[in-house]
Amino acid sequence: MSIRKNITLLIGGFLIFQPLLSPPILLAQEAIITPSETDYNSILQEINFSVGDAELHIDQRYWGDLGTDSDVLKTLTEQIKAFWEKQNSSSGMELSSQALIAISQLSRASGRENDSEAREAVRSLKQHLSAIKALKQENHMKTQRSHKLSDG
């Protein structure tokens, strides 16, 4: 067989089988993973790093990088929201939703290359993240108290 025929067969095979491979990949990207307690703390730490990156990118006016930061923050915060949904915590879900709104505002500010809007979005996001952390600590203390009561 000629090289041209081999390439044609290879491309044809790829075009036939590629759609069979794509849906699982897309589904995996769209799925939101509900984190465990341990993962939750790691995600919060990663969110802190990403917020720091976002602040740096605003200062440097790296709008494209800021857009990437907002995408990462959205994915991580959706996982935090899934955690609170699993816990059936309306407060956690509401705070996570508010954080996602702030991230959406950050993304829009990045697209507009608007420094003041971006700073305000980060300020709002940090407020919601602080409240989410406080809620987690409060729930952790309640859990510890209930374990002490049941043990005692």
Side-chain angles (χ1 to χ4, degrees), residues 1-84:
M1 256 202 254
S2 72
I3 293 176
R4 186 175 188 169
K5 223 177 208 183
N6 285 340
I7 292 173
T8 303
L9 289 173
L10 181 64
I11 292 171
F14 177 77
L15 292 175
I16 291 170
F17 289 107
Q18 191 270 338
L20 298 174
L21 299 174
S22 294
I25 293 169
L26 292 175
L27 292 174
Q29 289 173 347
E30 293 174 8
I32 297 172
I33 299 165
T34 303
S36 67
E37 291 277 336
T38 305
D39 293 338
Y40 180 93
N41 294 326
S42 296
I43 291 169
L44 281 180
Q45 188 173 25
E46 190 61 36
I47 287 173
N48 287 336
F49 293 139
S50 295
V51 169
D53 289 346
E55 290 174 315
L56 178 71
H57 293 142
I58 292 168
D59 290 342
Q60 298 298 318
R61 297 180 174 272
Y62 294 159
W63 302 113
D65 291 340
L66 182 60
T68 301
D69 296 335
S70 64
D71 292 342
V72 168
L73 286 164
K74 179 179 183 269
T75 300
L76 294 170
T77 305
E78 286 173 340
Q79 291 178 26
I80 295 297
K81 185 176 180 186
F83 173 86
W84 289 113

Side-chain angles (χ1 to χ4, degrees), residues 106-131:
L106 180 62
S107 179
R108 278 195 303 278
S110 171
R112 294 179 186 155
E113 298 184 1
N114 188 313
D115 184 83
S116 62
E117 282 181 21
R119 290 185 193 285
E120 177 57 29
V122 168
R123 186 198 61 74
S124 176
L125 175 60
K126 288 170 90 172
Q127 278 184 320
H128 296 301
L129 292 173
S130 179

